[in-house]
Amino acid sequence: MIYPRKNILTNALLSLCLILLSVQSFGMSYRTPTHQRSMPTLVLQAVTPPILLSHITFNGMGSFQPEDSPVQLAQNPAHGGNGAANIQEDLNFVQKAWNFYQQRLLREKILIAIVVYLLISILALFVAILINRQLQTKKRKKTRELKNEYQEQLAAFLFDDTVERIEFTGINIPQNRQIFIDELRVLHSNLYGETAEKLRDLYFNLELHKDSLRKVYHRSWHQKAKGFREVAQMDVKDANDHIRSFVNSKNPIIRVEAQVAMVKLSEDNPLSFLDELTYELSEWEQINIYDTLTYHQMNIDSFESWLDNPNPSVVQFALRMIGLFKHMHSAPRVQQLLTHKDARIRLAAVQALKPLEVAEYIPDLKELFRRETHDLMVILNEQREENKRDIRSLDDLLPRKIRFAIVECMEPIASAQEIPFLSEVASEHENSFKIRILAIRIMAALHPEGDAELERLLAQADQILSTMIINVKQNLES
């Protein structure tokens, strides 16, 4: 077994302590032949200066006696004066401690050994922490200085025309190369055109792409993820097939990095990996893909090919992209998914229609609202029987979310013809406050028919509905 380096000192001190505590007597005198001397005698002889050993003898009972008294030692310049007296006092203290230990019971000896071990361990750990902290502080300081130096050198390389050649400090040291790559990537992400291309050329001329490719094939997942980011940003396509094999990785970080890298590196079809996706495309992954598409201004002609994908999360993503990029030509395909068997896809279809603002689909939205209301009532009745919970607190129900999305989708395209439908939504007391207030707000924006309907509702409304109508009107007037 290989022990950590920081435990070597602890084990050494513990071994010495156990040797001293386990020996029952000091053995024969100092003049006894070496092979007959006890271990404590050998230890004391090893750590005691020769000038003092010449004045110490050991008796057979394990105690030692100086041949000269402390006063004589102090008066004899040859013996070191006060220094010898101090050593004598230390030896007396060791003898007293040993005698105290010898007089203890076995369980007390064990307890003393444990306490000594813990104290030594704490001391060793404290020393190790201090040393590690100093090393880390020194490393951070060096890294900070190197970053500043690389930033200045890169700025001179890009913008100082008088500089013909720049020698980057310590670029051949692996740690320094990684710092340089990080600084180059940060600078590259904020530049465009010829300046960014100049940095990319520098990246290849210094053969930094080889460092990135080594990370791509590294066994460690965090090194692999870093390599994916580097080759994707610097447009290194040598490892595309290898990266593509990780779009279904079990590690979510590797998976999202591989997906984003494929979006950047696949020029012809950046989203082709979606056809191979077996895992659910999470919200975070969808956001990263969308951010990559918009940041790099990638134009996807159509997302309709993924509306029939067997992976529901891929269909949801395609619907969201149709809405965000306002692909009006895909509206008929989105309308077909309003009747999909998966409620999550129906919700995504309604949300995709809102930015498209297609008024001709309002009848389909009303019909979907009625079906979702039926499904909602079934679920709410079950909830009443099982948990007896307040129906207005169940905002996490998909039918309720779909119904709210339908009314929200009608807001920019509603006309006077939708006032009866909106009035019904606002009057239904089992609807959530949120959807009722939304319906009232839409009617208030439809002049003058909406104002007339709100006055009619106000005349016969209960306290809750009348409060909603008054608050909406006050907010619109302010």
Side-chain angles (χ1 to χ4, degrees):
M1 180 180 294
I2 299 176
Y3 292 94
R5 185 176 300 175
K6 64 181 181 181
N7 290 334
I8 295 177
L9 177 60
T10 303
N11 294 333
L13 294 174
L14 175 61
S15 301
L16 178 60
C17 177
L18 292 179
I19 290 173
L20 293 175
L21 294 178
S22 60
V23 177
Q24 299 300 317
S25 64
F26 273 99
M28 301 301 291
S29 67
Y30 171 71
R31 297 179 176 85
T32 305
T34 302
H35 67 278
Q36 296 180 5
R37 297 174 193 168
S38 64
M39 182 60 68
T41 303
L42 294 174
V43 171
L44 287 173
Q45 291 175 5
V47 300
T48 305
I51 190 173
L52 186 60
L53 283 175
S54 62
H55 296 273
I56 299 177
T57 57
F58 296 85
N59 58 35
M61 301 303 294
S63 61
F64 54 86
Q65 180 66 37
E67 295 179 355
D68 296 325
S69 66
V71 176
Q72 292 173 328
L73 287 171
Q75 293 175 348
N76 190 348
H79 292 166
N82 293 334
N86 292 335
I87 294 176
Q88 177 62 37
E89 292 177 2
D90 292 339
L91 292 176
N92 289 336
F93 173 79
V94 172
Q95 176 62 28
K96 291 178 181 178
W98 175 254
N99 292 338
F100 173 81
Y101 174 78
Q102 289 288 78
Q103 296 172 3
R104 301 299 95 190
L105 299 175
L106 177 60
R107 60 183 180 182
E108 293 176 342
K109 292 180 180 179
I110 295 174
L111 181 60
I112 292 173
I114 293 174
V115 171
V116 171
Y117 171 74
L118 292 177
L119 290 175
I120 294 174
S121 300
I122 292 173
L123 178 61
L125 179 60
F126 180 72
V127 172
I129 291 174
L130 289 180
I131 295 174
N132 182 68
R133 185 173 180 179
Q134 291 295 326
L135 292 175
Q136 292 298 324
T137 301
K138 184 178 180 180
K139 181 179 179 180
R140 284 193 296 268
K141 182 180 179 181
K142 182 180 179 181
T143 301
R144 185 167 56 251
E145 293 174 352
L146 200 57
K147 281 184 176 181
N148 294 334
E149 188 171 356
Y150 283 152
Q151 289 172 4
E152 294 176 358
Q153 292 176 345
L154 286 171
F157 172 78
L158 291 174
F159 307 114
D160 192 348
D161 297 333
T162 61
V163 178
E164 297 181 358
R165 180 180 177 84
I166 296 180
E167 293 292 338
F168 295 100
T169 306
I171 195 64
N172 294 324
I173 302 175
Q175 294 84 352
N176 295 356
R177 289 176 71 85
Q178 184 56 54
I179 296 173
F180 184 83
I181 291 175
D182 293 339
E183 291 304 311
L184 188 145
R185 286 182 58 240
V186 170
L187 187 59
H188 182 270
S189 63
N190 295 304
L191 298 174
Y192 298 93
E194 294 182 1
T195 309
E197 192 63 27
K198 190 175 180 180
L199 276 180
R200 184 173 180 271
D201 292 339
L202 176 65
Y203 175 80
F204 280 96
N205 291 335
L206 294 177
E207 297 186 343
L208 298 177
H209 65 287
K210 295 182 179 179
D211 297 65
S212 299
L213 288 173
R214 276 194 292 270
K215 298 188 194 78
V216 168
Y217 291 96
H218 200 280
R219 296 181 62 182
S220 174
W221 69 266
H222 64 275
Q223 289 290 336
K224 192 180 294 291
K226 184 181 293 186
F228 288 176
R229 286 193 295 269
E230 292 176 5
V231 299
Q233 181 171 344
M234 305 311 296
D235 198 25
V236 182
K237 297 182 174 64
D238 297 353
N240 278 18
D241 293 338
H242 181 72
I243 296 174
R244 193 184 187 92
S245 65
F246 287 91
V247 296
N248 287 310
S249 173
K250 294 180 180 179
N251 187 319
I253 299 178
I254 291 292
R255 190 164 64 242
V256 69
E257 293 293 346
Q259 292 168 3
V260 171
M262 291 311 301
V263 172
K264 295 179 180 179
L265 297 174
S266 301
E267 296 179 354
D268 299 333
N269 193 356
L271 300 180
S272 59
F273 70 91
L274 292 176
D275 298 327
E276 308 167 11
L277 205 62
T278 57
Y279 279 87
E280 180 179 354
L281 197 63
S282 67
E283 296 281 345
W284 176 243
E285 291 169 344
Q286 294 183 35
I287 291 173
N288 275 277
I289 295 172
Y290 171 70
D291 181 66
T292 304
L293 291 174
T294 54
Y295 182 82
H296 294 278
Q297 299 178 352
M298 297 181 178
N299 183 27
I300 307 296
D301 295 332
S302 176
F303 293 92
E304 293 184 27
S305 60
W306 294 288
L307 294 180
D308 297 320
N309 194 286
N311 190 332
S313 63
V314 174
V315 180
Q316 288 178 267
F317 172 74
L319 288 168
R320 288 174 178 171
M321 296 301 102
I322 289 173
L324 290 170
F325 289 103
K326 295 186 178 182
H327 285 188
M328 295 297 300
H329 59 275
S330 299
R333 290 285 286 117
V334 176
Q335 184 264 344
Q336 295 175 5
L337 295 177
L338 293 176
T339 58
H340 198 279
K341 62 180 180 180
D342 193 325
R344 295 172 298 174
I345 294 179
R346 294 199 300 272
L347 175 61
V350 174
Q351 293 171 338
L353 285 175
K354 180 183 177 182
L356 301 182
E357 299 183 6
V358 184
E360 60 184 278
Y361 295 147
I362 289 181
D364 300 284
L365 293 173
K366 290 180 180 178
E367 179 61 28
L368 178 60
F369 187 91
R370 295 185 180 92
R371 292 198 302 268
E372 297 299 334
T373 299
H374 176 268
D375 295 342
L376 177 63
M377 294 309 298
V378 172
I379 296 174
L380 293 179
N381 289 333
E382 293 177 356
Q383 291 290 338
R384 280 198 192 95
E385 294 176 0
E386 296 177 2
N387 301 327
K388 298 181 180 181
R389 294 173 60 186
D390 184 0
I391 60 175
R392 279 184 288 272
S393 66
L394 302 177
D395 291 331
D396 57 335
L397 295 177
L398 274 175
R400 178 165 297 207
K401 290 182 178 181
I402 295 173
R403 291 166 80 248
F404 181 81
I406 290 171
V407 178
E408 195 175 32
C409 181
M410 295 173 63
E411 184 173 8
I413 57 177
S415 63
Q417 297 178 354
E418 280 67 63
I419 289 179
F421 170 78
L422 295 171
S423 178
E424 181 182 351
V425 173
S427 302
E428 179 55 57
H429 68 277
E430 288 196 348
N431 286 339
S432 65
F433 292 157
K434 186 167 64 173
I435 194 172
R436 296 175 73 184
I437 291 176
L438 178 60
I440 294 170
R441 189 170 70 240
I442 296 174
M443 285 190 290
L446 298 174
H447 306 290
E449 294 87 348
D451 295 331
E453 181 63 21
L454 288 178
E455 291 296 332
R456 187 188 69 80
L457 289 176
L458 191 59
Q460 59 186 17
D462 56 15
Q463 183 178 0
I464 296 177
L465 181 57
S466 61
T467 302
M468 291 180 181
I469 296 174
I470 293 172
N471 287 338
V472 170
K473 285 187 173 183
Q474 288 178 348
N475 290 335
L476 292 176
E477 292 173 357
S478 59

